[in-house]
Amino acid sequence: MRHLSLLIKLWLYAHLGIAQVMDISGIVKDANTGEALPGAHVLVPSSFSKSNITNEKGYFFLKNLREGDTLIVTFIGYQERIFLASESRDSITILLQPGNVKLKEVMVKSAVLGAENFSFSKLTPIDIYQNPNSKADALVAVNTSASSTTTDENAAVSFRGASPNQTGYFLNGVPIKNPIKYAQLTNTGTLSIFNTDFLKKVTVFPGNPPLEYGQSTSGTIVLETADRFPSYWQQTASISLANLGYSARGEIGKQTFVGVFANYQFDEALKAVNPINFENINAFNSLDGGLLLSSHQKWGSLKFYQYGLWDNYNFQYRHPSYQNAFLQEAVRSISTLQWVQELNDWQINAVLGNSYLDKKISFGNLNFSEKDFDPYGALNFTWRKDNNLLKTGYSFWHQNNFREGRFPTYSYAMSPEHPSNQFSGEQSASSHELYTFYRKIWRNHSIGSGVRLGYLPELQKRLYSYQINYRYELSSSLKVKAGVGRYYQIRNTERAIDYAYQSSIDLHYSGPQWAIEQSFYYNFRQEKEQTKGAESRITYQPNSKIQLDQSLSYVSHNTRKDQWFIRSFAIYKPFSQWSLNASYQSFAGGNSALVSSASFNNELSVYAPFQSGKTLSFQPYSNLSLGINHLFAINGYTNGIAFISVTNLLDTKNSFDINYNFDYSQYDKMYLSRRSIYAGIIINLINKK
């Protein structure tokens, strides 16, 4: 009957002559998950020249259709949809049902976040790939947000004036320390250890993070790997100026999915294309890979993730006393195991994990190795009923660090023949922690509060954190959030404990074309450091072709120079499969301590510097970058994306430090990324069952 009705409508429109020319835009999504489907075909049988393929965000645009034209939407592994142009609006959402609907009898379960009262943002893999500055890296994408105060082009994230080591990182519920690689695509910017293609989402709390994620005195970044893959198999191959990669993922049984990936990063092509930008880098390369296995059965959802990395970085370093290659090498292993089960109004979430690091550093008389071994376990319970949410749980984290090697006796004497001290030592810290958080929604109001208690057996110390947050929904478009809290963090290498008090107010407005965010915050740390600041962000998307994003933030410090950040992003899609992006970032320049004089040490045959107490202030950072992406389809089973980007188009010399000559009479400025070109192509192959 559905198809008969369609034929009658087609006949009426064709014979009554009431057709009207129109343009149609929209997005194609998975009906179950709500995720966009890039590479879906939107066919117009009356004129295949008008047909289109959805871009990387699932969007399509059709021009000069006549009212009554038939549209057929297809995607491998999904049921096709047929409808009339007359039934559509200017912008529509098309939901496709997976073809294998019989597997819906078991729901995919993921841990409840319950973060509605907190100020947070979410990134999907598509958001990360579309970010013109991210280099397809999750943490680099986070570093372009209004809350980021990172000033060294590094993947380690700083939030709201805090240092990078105060940020908390969690992968599938397991805390991760130092989530960056040595191997670099720029002079200073490192990439993180997370594979974007296997991520489900990245949730960013720039301040006042949920207490279920402890060990953070600043913001927190929660990364989750995919819960499932399509029922068909998909293979992806990528090649760029600095990377070769391969991944495969799909279904291996009833509601059981597996994915594997491997990447090799090399330097030869990138250095050849950008000789000036990489003139001080001798070599960098890395090899990493991972396995993701998930199964969703009546006894619960189980997800296992294993990651491994070998990383090597060799760059030319000039010290006044010695000039040679600075070598860094690391081996990493990360394991996470997560189980989730629903029992009526309750959810149980159990997490096990371990992070292992073995790194070596060598330069002159500096030669040492460091090993970290950090097993972790947690058990969380969540109760949800009506407008009530209760979360409680226990976690155990054992951090073990071992260091040995030689360290320079004098910081100004670093050649191999200069004196050094032998060092060998091991430190460990265990923490037992309990937390409870309760949230109540009443009409347009929502209030939550929680407490986290910790005990450190080695130090015989008891710790506590607390938080209170409130959300008021003035309308469906305007929300206000406020939060205060006290947080603690354990630094294993020093066996030190940091405390921080955070308070913030966030306003969120979203309309059909506009989105506005405004934040004010005040943070106080035990070192008597106070920071207060404001963040503003405006996003404007008048249509499916144009998106503009502008952010401005200011941070005031009581102990150091104030900071300001300006970030502008623009995405323009002149054609359905092309995307042009531009970005401009600027922030206050840093400074470097100056040497007033130097005396010659006859015993060591080297100059010893004396600090003057003065500093050299650098010009503000400035970086204009451009990029082009092209999404293409070879056939119904193969598609891909090609990209090229130019970073620091104007070749601005952004200073971040200085380097003195042998007697400290002269110095040269050291720069962040110079102009560099990066390009590559990613091919996706779908194997239909």
Side-chain angles (χ1 to χ4, degrees):
M1 291 298 294
R2 174 173 172 266
H3 289 90
L4 177 59
S5 174
L6 176 60
L7 290 174
I8 293 174
K9 289 182 179 181
L10 287 171
W11 184 89
L12 286 174
Y13 278 102
H15 287 79
L16 293 179
I18 57 175
Q20 179 182 349
V21 177
M22 65 181 70
D23 296 341
I24 294 178
S25 64
I27 183 173
V28 180
K29 294 183 176 182
D30 184 304
N32 291 341
T33 66
E35 296 181 359
L37 298 177
H41 290 262
V42 184
L43 306 175
V44 185
S46 62
S47 177
F48 282 100
S49 62
K50 298 178 183 179
S51 300
N52 210 325
I53 300 175
T54 58
N55 67 6
E56 60 277 2
K57 281 193 173 182
Y59 284 101
F60 68 89
F61 182 73
L62 301 174
K63 297 181 65 175
N64 299 326
L65 294 183
R66 300 188 67 83
E67 194 171 9
D69 277 346
T70 304
L71 303 182
I72 303 175
V73 183
T74 66
F75 192 75
I76 301 300
Y78 289 78
Q79 300 177 18
E80 70 178 20
R81 277 202 60 187
I82 304 174
F83 59 96
L84 296 175
S86 60
E87 296 176 350
S88 61
R89 301 183 301 275
D90 178 59
S91 182
I92 60 177
T93 298
I94 300 174
L95 302 177
L96 297 186
Q97 293 286 349
N100 198 0
V101 296
K102 65 179 181 180
L103 295 181
K104 288 195 227 174
E105 58 192 42
V106 178
M107 295 292 293
V108 176
K109 306 174 184 67
S110 57
V112 175
L113 193 56
E116 293 83 357
N117 283 21
F118 300 89
S119 176
F120 70 96
S121 60
K122 288 185 179 181
L123 297 175
T124 64
I126 292 297
D127 298 323
I128 298 168
Y129 287 128
Q130 277 285 83
N131 188 303
N133 289 84
S134 70
K135 300 184 180 69
D137 184 88
L139 296 190
V140 180
V142 173
N143 257 331
T144 64
S145 66
S147 301
S148 169
T149 53
T150 307
T151 59
D152 57 2
E153 296 182 346
N154 199 291
V157 183
S158 300
F159 283 122
R160 296 180 170 178
S163 64
N165 59 17
Q166 292 174 316
T167 301
Y169 303 91
F170 286 81
L171 176 63
N172 294 334
V174 177
I176 305 295
K177 297 187 298 185
N178 303 319
I180 58 175
K181 294 180 181 179
Y182 284 142
Q184 303 182 21
L185 296 182
T186 65
N187 284 354
T188 58
T190 58
L191 295 179
S192 71
I193 60 177
F194 305 113
N195 186 285
T196 299
D197 207 27
F198 276 54
L199 289 177
K200 176 184 178 182
K201 62 182 176 181
V202 180
T203 307
V204 181
F205 300 92
N208 296 301
L211 282 181
E212 63 187 280
Y213 301 105
Q215 305 296 331
S216 169
T217 50
S218 178
T220 295
I221 301 175
V222 180
L223 303 104
E224 299 176 59
T225 57
D227 294 319
R228 62 179 298 162
F229 297 115
S231 58
Y232 54 84
W233 273 85
Q234 181 177 355
Q235 301 180 71
T236 301
S238 62
I239 181 171
S240 69
L241 291 178
N243 187 82
L244 285 174
Y246 171 80
S247 67
R249 49 205 180 275
E251 188 179 47
I252 59 174
K254 187 176 181 180
Q255 290 287 1
T256 299
F257 309 89
V258 66
V260 294
F261 69 88
N263 296 286
Y264 174 64
Q265 189 172 315
F266 50 88
D267 59 67
E268 292 83 0
L270 195 64
K271 290 174 60 179
V273 175
N274 305 279
I276 295 178
N277 196 26
F278 299 95
E279 61 183 354
N280 293 323
I281 296 180
N282 299 325
F284 65 80
N285 47 73
S286 67
L287 178 65
D288 70 333
L291 167 68
L292 176 60
L293 179 66
S294 65
S295 184
H296 309 282
Q297 310 298 332
K298 293 182 179 180
W299 43 261
S301 291
L302 188 68
K303 181 164 58 177
F304 171 75
Y305 181 67
Q306 175 62 52
Y307 174 81
L309 165 71
W310 172 79
D311 199 13
N312 184 63
Y313 184 51
N314 180 331
F315 65 97
Q316 199 67 21
Y317 183 66
R318 293 189 301 138
H319 187 270
S321 65
Y322 184 64
Q323 300 180 23
N324 208 327
F326 198 116
L327 305 178
Q328 298 178 114
E329 185 177 358
V331 175
R332 298 201 66 160
S333 173
I334 297 174
S335 306
T336 69
L337 180 64
Q338 186 180 55
W339 174 70
V340 179
Q341 176 64 300
E342 304 276 358
L343 296 172
N344 297 322
D345 299 328
W346 287 88
Q347 183 190 82
I348 305 173
N349 174 26
V351 176
L352 292 174
N354 182 60
S355 180
Y356 171 79
L357 169 66
D358 183 358
K359 69 177 183 181
K360 299 178 176 62
I361 294 179
S362 176
F363 176 77
N365 59 351
L366 171 66
N367 193 322
F368 79 94
S369 63
E370 180 177 1
K371 295 182 180 180
D372 284 334
F373 184 76
D374 304 318
Y376 177 84
L379 183 62
N380 304 285
F381 298 90
T382 303
W383 175 71
R384 291 172 295 172
K385 190 170 184 179
D386 300 328
N387 294 323
N388 298 280
L389 172 72
L390 173 67
K391 301 195 73 172
T392 186
Y394 162 81
S395 65
F396 171 77
W397 193 17
H398 179 76
Q399 302 178 61
N400 189 76
N401 175 266
F402 176 76
R403 292 183 178 185
E404 66 175 351
R406 295 189 303 121
F407 297 85
T409 303
Y410 307 99
S411 61
Y412 58 84
M414 296 192 66
S415 70
E417 62 271 13
H418 287 149
S420 61
N421 298 324
Q422 190 74 24
F423 176 83
S424 179
E426 183 174 3
Q427 287 187 331
S428 63
S430 300
S431 58
H432 299 267
E433 297 178 274
L434 292 167
Y435 78 91
T436 297
F437 177 83
Y438 175 73
R439 184 208 67 200
K440 173 71 175 180
I441 299 176
W442 181 71
R443 294 184 179 177
N444 296 335
H445 304 270
S446 177
I447 187 168
S449 62
V451 63
R452 188 178 186 95
L453 305 176
Y455 176 66
L456 280 64
E458 291 90 348
L459 303 180
Q460 294 187 350
K461 284 191 176 182
R462 291 176 172 83
L463 311 172
Y464 74 92
S465 294
Y466 66 82
Q467 65 184 191
I468 301 173
N469 48 53
Y470 170 73
R471 181 180 66 137
Y472 177 46
E473 190 171 328
L474 286 82
S475 67
S476 59
S477 301
L478 182 60
K479 301 177 180 64
V480 178
K481 299 180 181 180
V484 295
R486 179 188 192 267
Y487 303 84
Y488 66 80
Q489 182 185 45
I490 304 167
R491 293 207 307 266
N492 174 50
T493 53
E494 301 91 357
R495 277 196 173 183
I497 302 172
D498 286 342
Y499 298 96
Y501 296 86
Q502 301 185 49
S503 59
S504 62
I505 297 178
D506 302 274
L507 295 89
H508 303 263
Y509 169 79
S510 59
Q513 297 178 334
W514 292 87
I516 301 175
E517 300 176 18
Q518 178 65 56
S519 301
F520 302 95
Y521 59 87
Y522 172 77
N523 300 330
F524 174 76
R525 293 178 173 80
Q526 63 180 13
E527 297 89 355
K528 308 301 180 183
E529 179 183 354
Q530 302 177 40
T531 59
K532 51 187 176 182
E535 302 164 358
S536 304
R537 179 181 177 182
I538 300 176
T539 301
Y540 176 56
Q541 189 170 3
N543 51 55
S544 59
K545 288 188 174 183
I546 300 175
Q547 179 177 330
L548 305 175
D549 190 289
Q550 177 67 57
S551 66
L552 171 65
S553 60
Y554 183 82
V555 186
S556 176
H557 301 270
N558 68 324
T559 59
R560 48 195 170 98
K561 184 179 178 181
D562 290 354
Q563 297 173 287
W564 53 264
F565 297 83
I566 298 174
R567 295 183 174 95
S568 306
F569 299 95
I571 299 177
Y572 174 57
K573 300 175 181 178
F575 310 105
S576 59
Q577 294 139 358
W578 289 86
S579 176
L580 310 179
N581 54 66
S583 68
Y584 177 74
Q585 298 190 74
S586 180
F587 48 79
N591 51 58
S592 183
L594 291 173
V595 172
S596 58
S597 61
S599 62
F600 188 73
N601 186 320
N602 293 312
E603 182 180 354
L604 301 178
S605 298
V606 69
Y607 282 87
F610 295 94
Q611 299 292 335
S612 64
K614 298 181 179 180
T615 60
L616 174 67
S617 296
F618 300 127
Q619 293 295 318
Y621 176 93
S622 178
N623 188 326
L624 174 65
S625 300
L626 301 177
I628 302 176
N629 299 330
H630 174 48
L631 182 71
F632 59 89
I634 300 176
N635 52 47
Y637 304 95
T638 308
N639 58 50
I641 182 171
F643 60 90
I644 182 171
S645 62
V646 182
T647 305
N648 194 1
L649 178 67
L650 303 180
D651 199 23
T652 306
K653 295 181 178 179
N654 296 307
S655 307
F656 73 97
D657 204 352
I658 58 177
N659 198 345
Y660 281 94
N661 64 348
F662 72 99
D663 63 356
Y664 295 88
S665 61
Q666 297 178 344
Y667 64 80
D668 297 323
K669 292 182 179 179
M670 302 172 66
Y671 304 115
L672 295 172
S673 301
R674 301 286 298 275
R675 181 194 296 124
S676 60
I677 300 174
Y678 192 63
I681 186 170
I682 301 173
I683 301 292
N684 295 306
L685 174 64
I686 297 172
N687 299 333
K688 186 177 180 182
K689 286 187 177 182

